[in-house]
Amino acid sequence: MSTLRITDVRWLNPLAQSADARVSVDIDAHGAQLSTSGTVERTLNGRDLWLLPAMFDLSHHLPPAGRAPQAIAQELQAAWQNGFHRVCAAPDSDPVIDNPSAIEWVMQRAEASQASSARLQLTGALTQGLAGTQLSNMASLVEAGCRTVGQGEGPMPQIDLLRQALRYAADLGLYVHLSPQLNTTFHGCAHDGAVASRLGLDAIPSVSETLAVAMIIALVEDTGCPVHLTRLSTRGGVTRLRQAQAANLPITAGASIWNLLFTDQAIAEYDTRFHLNPPLREESDRQALLEAVRDGSISVICSDHRPLGQDAKHGPFADTQPGANGIDGFVPALLSLARHHDIEPAMLAHCTSAGPAAVMGCEAATNDWLLIDPDRVWTMHAKSVHSASRHTPWIDQSMQGAIAARIQGRNCAINQGWHSQLGV
């Protein structure tokens, strides 16, 4: 069997006892292991590089059905080119993922992807049409392949219906993904703070998330249903998450790369690129999220990728659509958390592989690896964006960190510009 050896590489392997070590690694069709004396077909010089598992994205949004027929396939290819092995799509797509026919429709278009594309996993709808008023037929969604259900950006159901939903999901062995926002009570387009007040924008207070988290925790304690809080954004939400985990309740949580890197100061000039949901919060909230990643309370970092249409960000701030292209530039953004915010690289690897895989109900990829150059400086241009969406704040910005090569079993695809450094 052919084996690829990478010498002197920093191996960030969340599944190993030593999750961060500089070693020589042998990779074949069965996975990766510390180098032995076996036969090696090819050798790469991994000096100054990182080897980590291809990533899992737990909060991903599909393009609307009205786009070109190949739009879903294109986004999955873009995700793969940016280092993702698998993406878990929210149920608020078009069509809504609330019945087997919708699942079949989406998966047929996903199967049009080339071999070099991220695998797609769908989160089914918790309620019909995500309206929050009537439960979906979760049993049929399970039969059609869903392992998780959620509300996406749909309204949080009333507490009695949500309790029924969690009991139903628990009986079926489903993990429920919830965005903790009381979006039927609080409406707005920015965080309720000094910036939104100065700009005259309708705002969403932190208590919208804090109350939602508290309600979800109480229902998890009552039903025993495992719940993943998809994108925490507030200090209060983190506090209540820790309390729930200390009580050994089955609750996990994620944070988007946006809320880990930026605050509401980013919208100070009505910059619609930073019109996001959940909104960017204050610095104290961001620091709480970073600390929760450091100590493992938050086990998932997601892109919150939303491939919006060309005109989605044109117009007054409040009239534009929330969201951004979160996959292009995700790798350097992730690495900046280690460089500037003291998060261990091994923890970043965990939060983008083993952590989300556990919440998705599958195993982490063991035969799909990224060889990362953490020091490579480059500029993101519109023509270098892989997603169909150009709505990202990183266009024309200098980035540090890039994928040098991708290794899948016996196949090694080296990106342009790294052949000499890798010794090939």
Side-chain angles (χ1 to χ4, degrees):
M1 180 179 295
S2 60
T3 300
L4 170 70
R5 176 166 294 171
I6 306 175
T7 61
D8 196 25
V9 70
R10 186 175 183 180
W11 192 17
L12 306 174
N13 183 8
L15 301 179
Q17 186 173 4
S18 178
D20 187 347
R22 182 164 291 284
V23 293
S24 291
V25 180
D26 288 348
I27 302 177
D28 58 26
H30 296 298
Q33 62 180 1
L34 292 176
S35 293
T36 64
S37 58
T39 303
V40 176
E41 181 178 289
R42 190 179 185 188
T43 300
L44 301 181
N45 178 12
R47 187 174 183 179
D48 300 324
L49 302 179
W50 296 0
L51 181 68
L52 67 158
M55 300 179 292
F56 285 44
D57 194 7
L58 206 57
S59 186
H60 200 90
H61 298 260
L62 298 176
R67 304 269 184 91
Q70 69 275 15
I72 292 176
Q74 179 180 351
E75 292 303 315
L76 293 177
Q77 290 164 20
W80 186 90
Q81 289 165 322
N82 282 287
F84 291 95
H85 173 80
R86 187 186 297 261
V87 299
C88 186
D92 50 4
S93 62
D94 180 11
V96 172
I97 308 301
D98 63 356
N99 63 82
S101 296
I103 294 173
E104 182 181 7
W105 189 94
V106 171
M107 294 307 294
Q108 283 179 348
R109 281 147 185 80
E111 289 167 2
S113 305
Q114 300 173 358
S116 56
S117 65
R119 297 180 184 178
L120 176 63
Q121 184 168 321
L122 296 176
T123 293
L126 192 71
T127 61
Q128 291 185 18
L130 296 176
T133 58
Q134 187 174 351
L135 296 185
S136 65
N137 186 341
M138 294 185 215
S140 69
L141 298 179
V142 171
E143 291 177 0
C146 288
R147 300 173 181 173
T148 55
V149 291
Q151 273 295 96
E153 298 301 296
M156 185 76 72
Q158 293 294 319
I159 190 167
D160 57 338
L161 185 64
L162 184 56
R163 181 172 181 265
Q164 293 178 38
L166 295 187
R167 294 178 68 179
Y168 186 10
D171 289 342
L172 294 171
L174 288 168
Y175 218 126
V176 176
H177 294 193
L178 293 174
S179 177
Q181 298 181 69
L182 298 182
N183 41 14
T184 57
T185 304
F186 300 100
H187 307 277
C189 59
H191 169 66
D192 186 12
V195 175
S197 179
R198 178 174 62 81
L199 298 178
L201 296 173
D202 291 336
I204 305 171
S206 297
V207 73
S208 171
E209 177 172 292
T210 307
L211 289 174
V213 171
M215 178 180 69
I216 292 167
I217 289 172
L219 292 176
V220 169
E221 187 173 22
D222 177 65
T223 64
C225 181
V227 168
H228 177 71
L229 306 174
T230 57
R231 290 158 293 135
L232 280 187
S233 68
T234 67
R235 179 176 52 182
V238 169
T239 298
R240 282 150 186 80
L241 168 69
R242 286 202 177 99
Q243 293 170 347
Q245 292 177 337
N248 294 318
L249 295 179
I251 293 183
T252 57
S256 82
I257 194 68
W258 308 116
N259 290 94
L260 290 169
L261 290 178
F262 300 102
T263 70
D264 58 349
Q265 293 296 325
I267 69 167
E269 302 299 327
Y270 295 101
D271 192 335
T272 60
R273 296 175 303 172
F274 293 99
H275 182 188
L276 304 167
N277 184 36
L280 298 176
R281 304 283 186 182
E282 297 178 358
E283 179 64 15
S284 60
D285 297 302
R286 190 175 75 94
Q287 290 300 327
L289 294 174
L290 290 168
E291 182 57 32
V293 172
R294 292 188 196 102
D295 67 24
S297 301
I298 288 177
S299 59
V300 173
I301 299 175
C302 65
S303 76
D304 198 19
H305 177 64
R306 297 167 192 255
L308 301 176
Q310 183 176 353
D311 299 329
K313 296 292 185 179
H314 296 166
F317 188 96
D319 295 337
T320 60
Q321 295 182 44
N325 170 358
I327 55 175
D328 285 288
F330 184 83
V331 166
L334 188 72
L335 268 55
S336 73
L337 295 176
R339 189 178 306 111
H340 301 301
H341 300 292
D342 298 321
I343 297 179
E344 292 295 328
M347 181 60 76
L348 297 178
H350 173 81
C351 288
T352 54
S353 59
V359 177
M360 292 167 75
C362 58
E363 296 182 354
T366 57
N367 63 346
D368 193 353
W369 297 88
L370 305 177
L371 200 56
I372 301 289
D373 184 343
D375 299 320
R376 179 63 62 96
V377 176
W378 57 285
T379 300
M380 180 185 290
H381 298 295
K383 64 181 180 181
S384 64
V385 172
H386 296 291
S387 170
S389 172
R390 300 297 188 267
H391 297 300
T392 168
W394 291 317
I395 295 290
D396 297 327
Q397 298 295 310
S398 178
M399 315 289 285
Q400 184 174 346
I403 300 173
R406 184 160 187 161
I407 304 148
Q408 293 181 294
R410 302 176 182 178
N411 301 318
C412 177
I414 301 175
N415 289 334
Q416 185 176 1
W418 273 278
H419 287 77
S420 176
Q421 182 174 343
L422 294 173
V424 295

